[in-house]
């Protein structure tokens, strides 16, 4: 029976009749023996395999090079080597797939930039193995977080006709060609359609039926910003809660981030130790920080006041009533408060149509959660549940209510205060691992000018 190396390394019981399959990381030959470091990607650590020259299959040992795949039968025995309890004494070795000398992942460390050019092979490296094991586990932890709280998982559409965020950063979906492209009514769906920038509007319809829901899926933005924090395709988690206000929304958002940091510390210890050693020495400290300390909460105007009084030279000036830049957000969370920070009540002019207007007539119940190293990780709001006010917001944003008739209906039939937020999954992974470029936390990054693989 085949054993995963992860399970073998977790035991300290010697055992006969063990079969492993995996890829060779390194091979070292000495007199009459070869030592192979074998990985199957199930964990970070390798299994040491000892093959003596009398072992059946040894005649092909010189083809057992870095990157080649093999099957080994043998016995697990106590290892004399340091740092491992057991090693596998081979009784048979079989070469499955050769890897010739052009195999790009040789033993020396490679730069992140180089590894991006071999994104189809980089999951075999230590760093990306750790990254994508963690990505999968954190995705599970997200479902667990919401399922435990009785949230219903809903699948919101990928193809949509509405621009939720109103930023016009949508990729068009069309089957029209040439001149026809000017006639949306002749298109596949009979209207102009796009890849979704957010599942929120559809999630709201489900919250207004099932109370607490969440969506977790891919979202797309044609932002032409080549930053380390923006991707054209990313995954977003969007919970939406009926009978919920801004305060409760901020509570849930902060608890969610803390819970993810705690999960990473508890369930991804081996991979996290690797990130702490080779990527970001401060990662454990930062996660401890997120888990232990209450988040700071202040209104947008107060944050602007702090930024203006800071005397700090920013590349972009701090302008009352304008969106904060990432450098401003990072100053607040990293230098000023030295804690994750939630800003709320933003000027209505800079926020989308669906946010609830406050009594001051100037601000909306928006909230952004900012974290060290990243800046904005969550954006959310209490939604406008009053039909007349929503129609007024749409007018100001130049949206046609008839295009959003179904969204308006939620306010016509049994409207309720409701709220929700969106967390960028890749930004969460950057926070949890310390990896500083979004291209390195997603299997195959889509960024301006780049859609290889
Ligand atoms: O702040 P945003 O634009 O909010 C929304 O889309 C709301 N509809 C969410 C909601 O209330 N349901 O985006 C939410 C989060 C951001 O805070 C950020 O973490 C991430 O999505 N995000 C991106 N991540 C990677 N690349 C991009 N281009 C991103 N744009 C937003
Ligand atoms: Mg935002």
């Amino acid at each position: 029976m085949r054993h995963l190396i992860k399970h073998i390394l977790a035991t300290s019981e010697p055992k006969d009749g063990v079969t492993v399959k995996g890829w060779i990381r390194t091979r070292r030959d000495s007199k009459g023996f070869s030592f192979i470091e074998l990985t199957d990607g199930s964990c970070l650590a390798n299994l040491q395999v000892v093959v003596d020259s009398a072992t059946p299959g040894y005649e092909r040992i010189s083809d057992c090079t870095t990157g080649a795949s093999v099957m080994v039968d043998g016995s697990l025995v106590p290892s004399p080597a340091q740092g491992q309890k057991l090693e596998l004494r081979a009784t048979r070795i079989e070469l499955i797939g050769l890897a010739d000398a052009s195999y790009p992942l040789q033993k020396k460390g490679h730069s992140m930039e180089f590894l991006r050019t071999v994104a189809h092979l980089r999951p075999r490296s230590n760093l990306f193995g750790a990254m994508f094991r963690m990505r999968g586990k954190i995705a599970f932890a997200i479902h667990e977080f919401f399922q435990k709280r009785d949230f219903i998982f809903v699948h919101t559409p990928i193809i949509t006709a509405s621009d939720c965020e109103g930023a016009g950063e949508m990729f068009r979906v069309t089957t029209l060609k040439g001149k026809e492209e000017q006639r949306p009514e002749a298109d596949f769906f009979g209207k102009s359609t796009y890849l979704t920038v957010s599942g929120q509007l559809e999630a709201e319809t489900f919250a207004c039926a099932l109370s607490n829901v969440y969506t977790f899926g891919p979202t797309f933005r044609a932002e032409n910003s080549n930053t380390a924090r923006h991707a054209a395709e990313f995954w977003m988690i969007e919970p939406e809660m009926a009978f919920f206000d801004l305060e409760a929304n901020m509570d849930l958002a902060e608890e969610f981030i803390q819970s993810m940091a705690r999960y990473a510390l508890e369930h991804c210890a081996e991979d996290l130790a690797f990130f702490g050693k080779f990527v970001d020495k401060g990662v454990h400290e930062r996660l401890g920080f997120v888990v232990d300390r209450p988040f700071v909460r202040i209104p947008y105007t107060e944050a602007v006041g702090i930024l203006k009084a800071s005397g700090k030279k920013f590349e972009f000036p701090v302008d009352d009533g304008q969106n904060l830049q990432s450098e401003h957000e990072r100053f607040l969370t990293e230098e000023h408060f030295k804690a994750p920070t939630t800003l709320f009540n933003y000027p209505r002019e800079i926020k989308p149509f669906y946010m609830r207007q406050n009594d001051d007539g100037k601000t909306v119940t928006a909230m952004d959660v900012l974290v060290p190293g990243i800046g904005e990780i969550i954006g959310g709001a209490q939604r406008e549940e009053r039909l007349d006010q929503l129609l007024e917001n749409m007018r100001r944003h130049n949206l046609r209510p008839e295009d959003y008739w179904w969204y308006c209906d939620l306010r016509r039939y049994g409207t309720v205060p409701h709220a929700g937020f969106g967390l960028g999954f890749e930004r969460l992974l950057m926070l949890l691992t310390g990896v500083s470029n979004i291209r390195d936390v997603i299997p195959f990054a889509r960024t301006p000018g780049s859609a290889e693989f």
Side-chain angles (χ1 to χ4, degrees), residues 1 43 53 67 75 91 149 217 243 262 267 320 367 388 401 440:
M1 188 187 136
C43 61
S53 56
S75 302
T91 51
R149 288 164 178 76
F243 310 102
R262 202 174 299 119
H267 297 272
D320 215 343
M367 54 171 247
D388 50 346
D440 300 323

Side-chain angles (χ1 to χ4, degrees), residues 165 198 200 221 223 231 234 238 376-377 379 383 421-422 424:
E165 296 306 296
S198 162
Q200 177 197 322
R221 295 196 186 178
E223 279 171 282
F234 61 99
E238 296 181 274
E376 179 192 341
I377 192 167
R383 320 307 187 186
F421 59 83

Side-chain angles (χ1 to χ4, degrees), residues 141-198:
I142 285 166
H143 283 292
E144 189 182 59
F145 177 90
F146 289 111
Q147 296 286 336
K148 269 191 184 160
R149 288 164 178 76
D150 291 315
F151 281 59
I152 314 287
F153 179 33
V154 296
H155 296 108
T156 50
I158 309 271
I159 299 174
T160 173
S162 43
D163 181 1
C164 175
E165 296 306 296
E169 293 166 337
M170 314 232 287
F171 289 102
R172 188 143 167 226
V173 175
T174 181
T175 53
L176 297 179
K177 293 196 177 67
K179 269 192 276 173
E180 276 187 324
E181 278 182 42
Q182 308 310 319
R183 294 178 50 231
E185 67 281 4
D187 208 344
F188 190 91
F189 298 106
K191 50 161 67 178
S192 296
T193 50
Y194 309 89
L195 294 177
T196 186
V197 295
S198 162

Side-chain angles (χ1 to χ4, degrees), residues 119-428:
H120 59 309
L121 298 174
R122 70 177 183 171
R124 302 185 190 190
S125 68
N126 280 329
L127 194 152
F128 287 97
M131 177 50 102
F132 294 120
R133 277 189 299 272
M134 241 175 111
R135 186 175 167 118
K137 282 194 189 167
I138 299 298
F140 172 79
I142 285 166
H143 283 292
E144 189 182 59
F145 177 90
F146 289 111
Q147 296 286 336
K148 269 191 184 160
R149 288 164 178 76
D150 291 315
F151 281 59
I152 314 287
F153 179 33
V154 296
H155 296 108
T156 50
I158 309 271
I159 299 174
T160 173
S162 43
D163 181 1
C164 175
E165 296 306 296
E169 293 166 337
M170 314 232 287
F171 289 102
R172 188 143 167 226
V173 175
T174 181
T175 53
L176 297 179
K177 293 196 177 67
K179 269 192 276 173
E180 276 187 324
E181 278 182 42
Q182 308 310 319
R183 294 178 50 231
E185 67 281 4
D187 208 344
F188 190 91
F189 298 106
K191 50 161 67 178
S192 296
T193 50
Y194 309 89
L195 294 177
T196 186
V197 295
S198 162
Q200 177 197 322
L201 303 186
E202 291 90 350
E204 280 186 54
T205 69
F206 274 77
C208 292
L210 307 178
S211 288
N212 294 338
V213 302
Y214 69 105
T215 130
F216 182 0
T219 46
F220 308 86
R221 295 196 186 178
E223 279 171 282
N224 208 355
S225 47
N226 239 318
T227 79
R229 283 176 292 280
H230 290 87
E233 176 177 312
F234 61 99
W235 285 62
M236 196 170 12
I237 298 96
E238 296 181 274
E240 190 70 37
M241 293 71 67
F243 310 102
F244 225 69
D245 64 10
L246 181 67
E247 185 90 2
N249 205 30
M250 293 194 281
D251 288 344
L252 184 71
E254 294 171 2
E255 187 189 336
F256 180 35
I257 293 179
Q258 287 185 318
S259 169
M260 292 305 109
R262 202 174 299 119
Y263 189 95
L265 288 166
E266 283 173 15
H267 297 272
C268 309
E270 187 192 34
D271 292 328
L272 209 51
F274 178 86
F275 289 112
K277 203 163 163 197
F278 294 106
V279 174
D280 175 5
K281 300 231 173 338
V283 72
H284 287 91
E285 193 188 341
R286 194 172 59 248
L287 294 188
F289 207 71
V290 168
V291 168
D292 293 338
R293 299 185 80 187
F295 287 37
V296 172
R297 258 184 218 180
I298 53 160
Y300 164 91
T301 41
E302 228 172 276
V304 168
I306 290 169
L307 288 164
K308 281 188 170 161
S310 70
K312 176 118 177 154
K313 276 261 165 292
F314 293 109
E315 189 188 337
F316 296 93
V318 181
D319 204 350
D320 215 343
Q322 292 304 305
N323 265 316
L324 297 183
Q325 300 291 329
S326 147
E327 57 174 340
H328 306 142
E329 294 171 344
R330 291 184 59 176
F331 172 82
L332 290 167
T333 172
E334 287 167 25
E335 294 181 47
H336 186 79
F337 291 117
K338 299 188 169 49
T341 303
T342 307
L343 304 188
F344 60 96
N345 289 350
Y346 281 69
R348 69 177 192 181
E349 283 72 25
I350 58 171
K351 289 291 180 186
F353 77 97
Y354 55 72
M355 296 191 176
R356 189 180 200 277
Q357 184 158 315
N358 283 314
D359 292 342
D360 61 14
K362 292 188 209 133
T363 60
V364 288
T365 46
M367 54 171 247
D368 274 7
V369 180
L370 319 177
V371 291
I374 290 160
E376 179 192 341
I377 192 167
I378 281 182
Q382 185 175 336
R383 320 307 187 186
E384 185 55 75
E385 86 284 12
R386 300 161 296 190
L387 183 59
D388 50 346
Q389 187 60 52
L390 182 68
L391 293 170
E392 158 67 17
N393 295 358
M394 287 182 157
R395 201 187 47 70
R396 265 192 296 108
H397 283 86
N398 294 317
L399 297 174
R400 301 191 317 170
E402 56 269 35
D403 292 339
Y404 295 85
W405 63 273
W406 51 274
Y407 189 73
C408 293
D409 267 5
L410 303 179
R411 281 74 184 163
R412 265 185 201 105
Y413 308 125
T415 192
V416 291
H418 61 289
F421 59 83
L423 170 115
F425 186 42
E426 285 73 21
R427 293 198 188 170
L428 174 67

